[in-house]
Amino acid sequence: MKIGAVKKIIKIAVDAVMFVLFLLLMEYHLLLSVAHEWLGISLFVLFIAHNALNYKWYAVLFKGKYTAMRIVQTVVNFLLLVAIIGCIVSSVLISSTVFAWMNVSGAMAGRTIHLIATSWTFILMSIHLGLHWVVFVGMTKRIKMPELAVTIIKWILRVVVIAVGIYGIVVFVQRAFYEELFLLTEFKQFNYDISAFAYLLQTVAMSATFVSATYYLKKLGLFIKKRRNDL
């Protein structure tokens, strides 16, 4: 296997684990504090690895032409970077176990920052994934199957995407997730009666809504650009 292919697999693996860890971190009210903090530290380590593996993106940041799509991707990446830094800083401020020995003041401000930073990280991470979802779609296209089977699978997936998208919107509204995004509340009321697994599935559905919406909006944008170039 070529070095480039191995590096690509490692990148996908790191990104996948990061995404799963963040989904688990979204269940902070159902996890022990110490577990939540160590999962956060693990995510931070993978975040550093992710940036190291994608150093070329930083190297060409001020090179080449900035198309509309490149501008969107760059803005999303930087906003995500700011949000994650907010998560890291606020985590230290509100830590009750791992970083408690530092005795850092500012717990109240830390909670506020953590609330808004984690919610925006979740949204921006989903959008970021949607902008690069074409990579995963391309991998599935390499699987050789009869044309009829491909058509059937495509339609099944479209129905699933629509269903999950609708459910994700319902979860977004039921959880009043917009309150965290725009700091419309300082404290969230959680439903402790729901199981951790059910809550995780709801979070996945909400993320999938933003991933699929971003992916198809990007496809629409590229389609419109192609039509204009063909005229």
Side-chain angles (χ1 to χ4, degrees):
M1 187 178 291
K2 296 181 179 179
I3 296 178
V6 173
K7 187 176 179 180
K8 188 174 182 179
I9 293 173
I10 293 174
K11 281 184 178 181
I12 293 173
V14 169
D15 292 351
V17 175
M18 282 181 65
F19 186 66
V20 171
L21 283 179
F22 200 84
L23 290 176
L24 293 174
L25 285 167
M26 292 293 289
E27 302 196 29
Y28 44 88
H29 66 295
L30 297 174
L31 294 174
L32 293 174
S33 178
V34 63
H36 181 82
E37 291 188 28
W38 278 112
L39 285 175
I41 292 171
S42 300
L43 180 63
F44 175 59
V45 171
L46 288 174
F47 172 70
I48 294 175
H50 171 84
N51 281 273
L53 289 168
N54 292 278
Y55 71 93
K56 288 184 179 179
W57 183 81
Y58 293 97
V60 299
L61 194 58
F62 300 104
K63 299 178 181 179
K65 181 181 178 181
Y66 267 82
T67 61
M69 186 55 62
R70 188 182 180 189
I71 291 173
V72 170
Q73 291 178 327
T74 302
V75 170
V76 169
N77 287 347
F78 271 105
L79 289 176
L80 180 56
L81 178 63
V82 171
I84 290 178
I85 291 174
C87 290
I88 296 167
V89 173
S90 59
S91 295
V92 176
L93 293 176
I94 65 176
S95 175
S96 60
T97 52
V98 180
F99 298 105
W101 60 272
M102 296 178 68
N103 197 27
V104 181
S105 60
M108 287 300 295
R111 288 191 184 92
T112 301
I113 295 171
H114 202 67
L115 182 68
I116 192 169
T118 52
S119 58
W120 275 108
T121 297
F122 174 74
I123 297 297
L124 290 167
M125 186 177 287
S126 300
I127 293 174
H128 177 80
L129 185 58
L131 288 171
H132 296 84
W133 195 252
V134 66
V135 175
F136 300 97
V137 174
M139 291 172 64
T140 59
K141 288 182 178 179
R142 296 177 185 175
I143 302 173
K144 293 184 178 180
M145 290 186 295
E147 188 174 342
L148 178 60
V150 172
T151 302
I152 293 173
I153 291 173
K154 278 185 177 180
W155 278 104
I156 291 175
L157 289 175
R158 285 168 183 168
V159 172
V160 171
V161 167
I162 293 173
V164 173
I166 293 173
Y167 182 61
I169 294 172
V170 171
V171 174
F172 184 88
V173 175
Q174 286 182 339
R175 289 192 190 177
F177 200 76
Y178 48 85
E179 292 182 346
E180 299 170 53
L181 291 171
F182 302 106
L183 203 60
L184 299 177
T185 182
E186 293 184 5
F187 299 98
K188 290 291 292 183
Q189 296 293 328
F190 297 102
N191 181 9
Y192 288 88
D193 294 329
I194 188 172
S195 69
F197 182 69
Y199 193 88
L200 178 63
L201 290 180
Q202 289 183 353
T203 305
V204 170
M206 193 162 54
S207 176
T209 299
F210 286 95
V211 172
S212 57
T214 303
Y215 171 71
Y216 284 109
L217 282 173
K218 180 180 178 180
K219 283 192 69 173
L220 178 62
L222 294 175
F223 174 76
I224 293 173
K225 180 182 178 181
K226 185 177 184 301
R227 288 295 298 271
R228 286 178 178 176
N229 292 337
D230 292 341
L231 293 177

